[in-house]
Amino acid sequence: MDVTLTVNGTEHHLRLDARVTLLDALRDHLGLTGSKKGCDQGACGACTVMVDGKRVVACLGLAAQYEGREITTIEALSTNGELHRVQAAFARHDAFQCGYCTPGQIMSAVCLIAEGRANSDEDIREFMSGNICRCGAYPNIRAAIRDVVAGA
């Protein structure tokens, strides 16, 4: 099937099997490998991207479902070599260890902050609960998010 996806501000015309997920279209057909394939069941959040400014786990939806919508991946967050403020806060607070979950964590954090849901550690914990870090960097992830919310 022919699918047109708008990813990171650019339209991409793809010919895909109808069963291709958004994650597989991004990684395998567009070469955008920042979003990671973790559980492939929507439970870990490693594949989190933004669709129309909202968090989406890209492994659960078919690529064709996202035609006509604005998809943003981790690759689009930095501009002109300058890290997005959430990326910079993650680096400052060492909010990653192995780094596998980091792109999904960052994309989720960007949306969480935009949603105005990062008012307390409890809120951050609750609204980031769909993103799993097997290394246990949660305290540093929360610190990075608090730092961005505080305007640092």
Side-chain angles (χ1 to χ4, degrees):
M1 87 185 316
D2 293 321
V3 177
T4 301
L5 296 177
T6 304
V7 182
N8 301 333
T10 302
E11 265 192 16
H12 299 275
H13 304 284
L14 304 169
R15 186 150 194 75
L16 303 171
D17 182 292
R19 298 167 293 182
V20 170
T21 64
L22 177 58
L23 178 61
D24 289 338
L26 294 170
R27 291 181 58 79
D28 300 338
H29 297 275
L30 297 178
L32 298 169
T33 58
S35 302
K36 303 302 181 204
K37 186 177 267 201
C39 66
D40 217 18
Q41 298 176 352
C44 74
C47 65
T48 303
V49 298
M50 286 190 287
V51 177
D52 297 333
K54 299 198 181 316
R55 297 180 264 187
V56 169
V57 285
C59 71
L60 288 184
L62 300 175
Q65 293 175 283
Y66 295 96
E67 207 164 19
R69 301 179 71 191
E70 182 60 42
I71 301 158
T72 306
T73 68
I74 191 76
E75 288 88 351
L77 283 189
S78 63
T79 50
N80 300 323
E82 179 111 5
L83 292 177
H84 184 279
R85 61 192 182 122
V86 174
Q87 290 172 309
F90 268 61
R92 268 193 316 277
H93 289 277
D94 195 25
F96 48 86
Q97 286 181 31
C98 81
Y100 196 81
C101 72
T102 305
Q105 295 275 2
I106 288 172
M107 296 303 288
S108 194
V110 167
C111 291
L112 170 76
I113 292 164
E115 294 162 2
R117 295 183 171 178
N119 300 314
S120 67
D121 273 0
E122 292 76 28
D123 287 344
I124 295 168
R125 187 178 298 111
E126 173 68 24
F127 292 110
M128 290 290 290
S129 65
N131 292 81
I132 296 172
C133 174
R134 289 185 179 9
C135 300
Y138 297 117
N140 298 17
I141 292 168
R142 284 192 302 274
I145 293 169
R146 281 194 315 268
D147 197 14
V148 172
V149 171

